[in-house]
């Protein structure tokens, strides 16, 4: 009886909303204690009858073999609501890295050491604890915290080529550690006041490190190199601060770099640097010489090797191969004769829209001494045309590992991420999930060639993947999906060339994982896409819905179109708790990758620039609204309820598009969208360009400065404030009053104009968050933000027939 009693308690607490049931349990328990005459059997029968009396049901879930293989944790039919901390990812793991380390014994084998940064949550200001820990783990052992609460811990551990040492960047110190005992011994480099680290360190063999510093007078990004480990820290700082290897231009930045490890062509060793220019769309690939024995001496001037014309599409990357050739991930402007634009000065001599012809992919420069160097495309997917797939694992936010291709320690093997885009063959079924591909230097001609596709989907499942480390017969990669915030997996080759995949880390709380939803990927076609010459445009989207079941989860779902920021960003097949939270509130949530998004080819992203700004992306949003009203959408999701129309919402660029969407009219004069939520969105392009901190970004979007007469007319047409008085439906406006990305000055005038709308259906709810910037990151602000969004949608999108009112909650009007 006691065992059954305990099982009943467990059953009760699996359904957290049935507070009455729990209350009755406590009451009956007290009766049993007070009156010994009540038998355990009688009490058990009462407990079993309670669900029937109160209408409570407990469902058992059975998983198909396919679900078990995919390792997808299916949400409970009665979904537990995500908390604000879970939606905003206050607790998370990131900056995963790994290395194969040679064991110091007679076995001559290697062991795998992994590392990541664990963010424990929001802590009180002034506590002296950053809330971040550096965690390290030897495969097969339990993880241990190496550093705890260190301020400025953002990049994680960077292992030396042989895995013997690692370095960690904190706020002002470069720490050196040893993998023998997983400890940090001393500060290798200490920065001066007003300086901070930038970028990720790169090892020069086993004894030195290239690292970036931001600050100084005048303030610039600079690249330095440590002295050997045996040299004192103070000496290293004095020498390096006197002679940086490279200095970024004013307004520019150093994004990443790599060292050749050996001398090239009989000369000195080289360093390749990705230098983002003040014009944020451009980045130069620069090469400098670095003598392996003398640091700080006079060096030859830097040589510009190539130009990335669209670095906002994905960050450029460089890496030296064992052959001495330079591998690049680049958005390059190439010509039919094989030459390419290799500098910003050369690009300025071409027509303004010349960059629109750039092509994305992997390239290699075989001869670094040639002027200008020649770019040769590298085929990652041999069956596809170069440029018809992306070599980039994109996400909305910061990835959980260092994104990009990865080389083994010998620099003969390369593993890269790739996915098809709209330029490929499969336009009818676009996907934003990744595959991994292995490339290898040929023994005959030293050319980098595709070797094989790495099968990872059978075990880790569909999602986004980043290679992290390469061993002799195994590959370590970071995997994330809508129900996986990101962990390390291992793909190994057996003797018969059959790959096996194994999970290495389990850092995501199961309680959070069970609350997340797996979306369905769909391809929508915009038949009226502007700037398309009548050809329909494929648009990738994901649809989130609560799981089907009895009770609340079989009720109608009202449609919500939620739009990402950027616009040069994407919603990939990735972990984004906000989208699951919106769906769990009882809505069908569609998240499209509209024109201007990344991950769908450069041509698709370029559609939002200049005359396409606020036009092509808006058209795609309207196409999504048309789809949600179609028979196809109703067949796909029979619970779809259009009785109160379609809502639209978003943050940043998504907020701008929400403003634009809410000002669109149907032929009958009614609003296309029945209600909208605009957070941190642009309303006035003239104020935006005049006051923003990202002027060059907005210059590229608008195709010029708004004080130019031609640009001014276009800017006025796509500024929501120009049509604010035509608002016809309820609108929620949320903005931080310290926002400098989308300056707050433009919001109050729009709100006042929208409130003057003469249309009876128009209303404006407005909240300005004091002291908040663009991300509105304050803990209290985030709680209030989610509460306002939930209440607004409940009032303006849900039907007022009480059928959606859960037990114990008050209906809001």
């Amino acid at each position: 009886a006691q065992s059954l009693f305990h099982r009943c308690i467990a059953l009760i607490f699996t359904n957290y909303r049935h507070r009455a049931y729990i209350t009755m349990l406590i009451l009956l328990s007290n009766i049993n204690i007070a009156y010994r005459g009540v038998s355990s059997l009688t009490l058990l029968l009462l407990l079993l009858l309670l669900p029937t009396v109160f209408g409570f049901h407990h469902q058992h879930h059975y998983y198909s073999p396919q679900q078990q293989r995919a390792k997808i944790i299916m949400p409970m039919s009665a979904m537990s609501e995500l908390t604000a901390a879970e939606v905003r990812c206050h607790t998370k793991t990131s900056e995963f890295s790994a290395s194969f380390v040679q064991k110091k014994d007679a076995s001559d084998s290697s062991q795998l050491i992994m590392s990541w940064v664990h963010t424990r949550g929001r802590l009180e200001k002034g506590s002296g604890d950053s809330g971040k820990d550096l965690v390290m783990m030897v495969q097969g052992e339990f993880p241990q915290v190496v550093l705890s609460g260190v301020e400025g811990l953002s990049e994680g551990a960077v292992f030396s080529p042989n895995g013997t040492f690692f370095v960690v960047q904190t706020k002002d110190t470069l720490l050196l550690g040893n993998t023998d005992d997983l400890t940090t011994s001393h500060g290798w480099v200490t920065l001066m006041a007003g300086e901070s680290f930038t970028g990720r360190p790169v090892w020069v063999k086993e004894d030195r490190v290239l690292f970036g510093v931001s600050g100084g007078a005048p303030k610039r990004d600079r690249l330095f190199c440590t002295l050997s480990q045996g040299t004192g820290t103070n000496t290293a700082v004095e020498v390096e601060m006197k002679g940086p290897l490279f200095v970024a231009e004013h307004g520019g930045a150093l994004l990443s770099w790599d060292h050749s490890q050996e001398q090239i062509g009989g000369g000195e060793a080289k360093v390749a640097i990705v230098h983002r220019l003040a014009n944020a769309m451009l980045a130069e690939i620069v090469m400098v010489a670095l003598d392996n024995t003398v640091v700080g001496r006079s060096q030859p001037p830097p040589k510009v090797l190539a130009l990335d014309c669209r670095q906002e599409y994905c960050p450029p990357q460089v890496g030296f191969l064992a052959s001495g050739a330079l591998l690049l991930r680049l958005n390059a402007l190439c010509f039919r004769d094989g030459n390419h634009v290799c500098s910003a000065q050369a690009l300025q001599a071409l027509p303004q829209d010349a960059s629109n012809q750039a092509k994305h992919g992997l390239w290699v420069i075989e001869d670094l001494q040639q002027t200008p160097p020649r770019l040769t495309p590298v085929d990652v997917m041999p069956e596809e045309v170069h440029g018809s797939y992306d070599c980039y694992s994109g996400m909305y936010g910061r990835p959980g590992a260092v994104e990009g291709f990865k080389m083994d320690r010998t620099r003969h093997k390369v593993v890269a991420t790739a996915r098809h885009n709209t330029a490929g063959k499969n336009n009818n079924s676009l996907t934003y999930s990744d595959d991994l591909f292995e490339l290898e230097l040929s023994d005959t001609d030293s050319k980098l060639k595709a070797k094989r596709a790495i099968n990872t989907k059978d075990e880790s499942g569909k999602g986004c993947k980043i290679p992290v480390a390469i061993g002799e017969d195994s590959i370590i990669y970071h995997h994330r999906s809508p129900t996986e915030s990101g962990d390390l997996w291992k793909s190994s080759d057996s003797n018969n060339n059959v790959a096996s995949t194994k999970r290495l880390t389990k850092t995501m709380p199961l309680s959070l994982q069970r609350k997340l939803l797996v979306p369905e990927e769909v391809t929508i076609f915009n038949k009226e896409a502007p700037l398309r010459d009548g050809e329909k445009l494929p648009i990738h989207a994901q649809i989130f819905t609560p799981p089907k079941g009895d009770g609340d989860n079989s009720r109608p779902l009202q449609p919500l179109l939620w739009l990402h920021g950027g616009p040069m960003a994407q919603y990939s097949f990735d972990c984004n708790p906000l989208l699951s939270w919106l769906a769990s509130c009882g809505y069908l949530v569609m998240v499209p990758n509209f024109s201007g998004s990344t991950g769908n080819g450069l041509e698709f992203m370029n559609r939002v620039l200049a005359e396409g700004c606020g036009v092509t992306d808006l058209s795609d949003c309207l196409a999504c609204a048309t789809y949600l009203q179609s028979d196809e959408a109703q067949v796909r999701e029979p619970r779809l309820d259009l009785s109160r129309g379609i809502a639209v919402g978003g943050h940043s660029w998504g907020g701008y598009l929400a403003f634009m969407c809410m000002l669109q009219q149907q032929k009958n004069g009614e609003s296309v969208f029945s209600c909208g939520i605009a957070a941190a969105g642009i309303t006035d392009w003239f104020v935006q360009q005049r006051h923003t901190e990202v002027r060059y970004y907005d210059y590229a979007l608008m195709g010029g400065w708004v004080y130019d007469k031609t640009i001014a007319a276009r800017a006025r047409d796509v500024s929501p404030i120009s049509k604010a008085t035509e608002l016809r439906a309820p609108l929620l406006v949320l903005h931080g009053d310290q926002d400098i990305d989308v300056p707050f000055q433009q919001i109050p005038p729009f709100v006042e104009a929208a409130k003057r709308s003469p249309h009876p259906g128009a209303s404006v709810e407005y909240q300005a968050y004091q002291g908040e910037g663009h991300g509105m990151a304050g803990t209290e602000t985030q709680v209030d933000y989610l509460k306002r969004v939930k209440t607004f949608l409940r009032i303006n999108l849900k039907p007022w027939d009480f059928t959606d009112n859960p037990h114990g909650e008050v209906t809001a009007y």
Side-chain angles (χ1 to χ4, degrees), residues 640-655:
L640 179 60
D641 174 24
L642 296 169
S643 62
R644 295 202 68 189
I646 302 170
V648 63
H651 185 98
S652 192
W653 193 265

Side-chain angles (χ1 to χ4, degrees), residues 770-791:
Q770 292 186 356
E772 292 288 357
H774 190 60
M776 292 183 262
T779 303
E780 293 181 0
T781 296
Q782 292 178 351
V783 172
D784 184 77
Y785 178 108
L786 296 177
K787 182 179 179 181
R788 288 179 183 274
V789 168
K790 184 177 181 179
T791 302

Side-chain angles (χ1 to χ4, degrees), residues 111-390:
Q111 63 181 0
L112 178 64
I113 298 180
M114 294 158 279
S115 173
W116 61 90
V117 173
H118 176 225
T119 303
R120 287 179 271 114
R122 296 292 180 89
L123 302 179
E124 293 296 327
K125 292 182 178 179
S127 65
D129 186 343
S130 71
K132 292 185 177 183
D133 301 331
L134 179 69
V135 183
M136 303 191 80
M137 184 180 81
V138 178
Q139 185 179 359
E141 299 180 10
F142 197 76
Q144 56 181 292
V145 176
V146 176
L147 295 171
S148 181
V150 178
E151 191 174 2
L153 186 63
S154 59
E155 289 294 333
V158 181
F159 294 94
S160 63
N162 292 332
T164 307
F165 305 101
F166 64 90
V167 291
V168 180
Q169 290 179 165
T170 65
K171 179 182 179 181
D172 57 5
T173 306
L174 183 69
L175 297 173
L176 174 65
N178 194 305
T179 55
D180 282 345
D181 52 8
L182 301 184
T183 59
T184 56
S185 57
H186 67 275
W188 199 353
V189 171
T190 301
L191 301 181
M192 292 184 284
E195 294 180 333
S196 61
F197 289 107
T198 184
R200 188 174 178 84
V202 169
W203 280 86
V204 180
K205 296 189 176 180
E206 291 288 315
D207 60 347
R208 287 187 284 153
V209 171
L210 292 167
F211 64 96
V213 175
S214 180
K219 185 177 180 180
R220 297 282 194 279
D221 281 7
R222 296 172 172 85
L223 184 66
F224 297 99
C225 183
T226 64
L227 293 182
S228 65
Q229 296 180 33
T231 305
T233 302
N234 291 335
T235 303
V237 173
E238 291 171 2
V239 171
E240 301 313 328
M241 292 306 176
K242 289 181 181 178
L245 303 175
F246 184 78
V247 180
E249 71 175 24
H250 176 64
L254 302 183
L255 302 184
S256 61
W257 44 88
D258 191 38
H259 188 270
S260 65
Q261 305 296 319
E262 303 291 346
Q263 296 180 350
I264 295 178
E268 296 175 318
K270 307 296 182 184
V271 178
I273 304 165
V274 178
H275 175 212
R276 181 184 62 75
L277 303 181
N279 181 342
M281 297 295 289
L282 304 178
E284 290 181 337
I285 309 302
V286 181
M287 184 176 68
V288 298
L290 175 62
D291 188 279
N292 273 333
T293 57
V294 181
V295 178
R297 79 174 192 182
S298 178
Q299 302 286 355
K303 179 179 181 180
V304 179
L305 300 176
L307 179 71
D308 191 300
C309 299
R310 285 287 183 264
Q311 77 90 24
E312 285 293 338
Y313 187 75
C314 73
Q317 185 187 1
V318 292
F320 285 97
L321 297 167
S323 63
L326 183 65
L327 178 64
L328 310 94
R329 182 177 66 185
L330 209 61
N331 305 299
L333 181 56
C334 296
F335 304 110
R336 292 183 179 180
D337 59 2
N339 291 321
H340 64 100
V341 176
C342 62
S343 68
Q345 290 77 12
L347 182 64
Q348 290 177 353
L350 300 175
Q352 186 176 2
D353 60 351
S355 294
N356 291 346
Q357 304 303 315
K359 182 181 290 188
H360 168 81
L362 292 188
W363 311 78
V364 69
I365 298 177
E366 300 285 354
D367 185 359
L368 295 171
Q369 307 305 319
Q370 183 179 0
T371 303
R374 189 178 185 87
L375 283 178
T376 303
V378 176
D379 290 326
V380 178
M381 294 180 172
E383 73 281 2
E384 297 286 351
V385 177
H386 189 262
S388 66
Y389 48 85
D390 278 10

Side-chain angles (χ1 to χ4, degrees), residues 371-615:
T371 303
R374 189 178 185 87
L375 283 178
T376 303
V378 176
D379 290 326
V380 178
M381 294 180 172
E383 73 281 2
E384 297 286 351
V385 177
H386 189 262
S388 66
Y389 48 85
D390 278 10
C391 300
Y392 173 57
S393 182
M395 68 174 294
Y396 192 59
R398 187 182 176 98
V402 178
E403 195 281 324
F405 58 77
K406 190 72 178 180
M407 297 181 182
D408 71 342
R409 69 180 58 177
T410 68
R411 300 188 175 235
H412 281 84
K413 292 182 181 179
V414 177
V415 176
T417 300
R419 70 167 70 145
H420 293 92
N421 58 42
T422 50
K425 300 175 182 177
N426 301 318
N427 280 354
N428 293 325
S429 56
L430 298 175
T431 181
Y432 266 54
S433 64
D434 303 328
D435 293 301
L436 294 176
F437 294 84
E438 182 179 348
L439 301 91
E440 192 171 35
L441 281 175
S442 171
D443 293 333
T444 57
D445 57 7
S446 296
K447 303 292 186 182
L448 188 64
K449 298 179 180 179
K451 182 179 179 182
R452 65 183 178 109
I454 302 169
N455 182 21
T456 59
K457 291 184 178 179
D458 289 346
E459 292 296 329
S460 60
K462 181 179 176 181
C464 300
K465 300 171 173 62
I466 298 173
V468 172
I470 305 174
E472 291 184 5
D473 58 357
S474 59
I475 294 167
I476 311 302
Y477 65 94
H478 182 264
H479 167 80
R480 59 192 196 276
S481 73
T483 58
E484 292 270 2
S485 58
D487 270 307
L488 293 182
W489 290 71
K490 181 179 181 180
S491 177
S492 302
D493 280 344
S494 59
N495 293 331
N496 56 2
N497 292 324
V498 177
S500 62
T501 306
K502 176 183 179 181
R503 179 194 282 270
L504 298 175
T505 62
K506 298 180 181 179
T507 62
M508 187 177 188
L510 189 59
S511 58
L512 170 59
Q513 192 175 36
R514 284 174 170 167
K515 297 178 183 180
L516 300 178
L517 300 170
V518 180
E520 180 182 4
E521 290 187 287
V522 297
T523 301
I524 298 167
F525 291 92
N526 185 355
K527 299 178 182 179
E528 300 179 1
L531 310 177
R532 189 69 178 172
D533 296 330
E535 184 180 357
K536 62 182 182 180
L537 178 72
I539 306 165
H540 172 272
Q542 297 177 68
I543 296 177
F544 289 78
T545 58
K548 296 179 181 179
D550 297 333
D552 294 343
N553 297 311
S554 62
R555 290 177 176 155
L557 303 176
Q558 294 73 38
L560 167 63
L561 188 66
W562 195 262
L563 310 172
H564 67 68
M568 300 171 197
Q570 59 181 271
Y571 275 141
S572 56
F573 201 75
D574 198 356
C575 188
N576 193 320
L578 173 64
L579 305 178
S580 287
W581 176 79
L582 288 167
S584 70
C585 292
Y587 304 101
L588 181 150
V589 181
M590 171 177 279
V591 289
N593 285 303
F594 44 79
S595 291
S597 302
T598 58
N600 226 350
L602 277 172
E603 181 182 351
F604 190 81
M605 186 193 78
N606 289 336
R607 286 178 47 77
V608 80
L609 303 179
E611 66 269 19
C613 181
V615 177

Side-chain angles (χ1 to χ4, degrees), residues 659 661-665 669-672 720-729 750 753-759 761-762:
F659 279 128
C661 285
M662 287 302 297
L663 299 172
Q664 305 305 305
Q665 303 175 26
E670 295 295 321
S671 176
V672 172
I721 197 169
S722 300
K723 300 179 181 178
T725 56
E726 298 180 18
L727 183 69
R728 285 168 160 75
F750 173 88
K755 287 181 177 180
R756 295 196 300 269
S757 170
H759 302 283

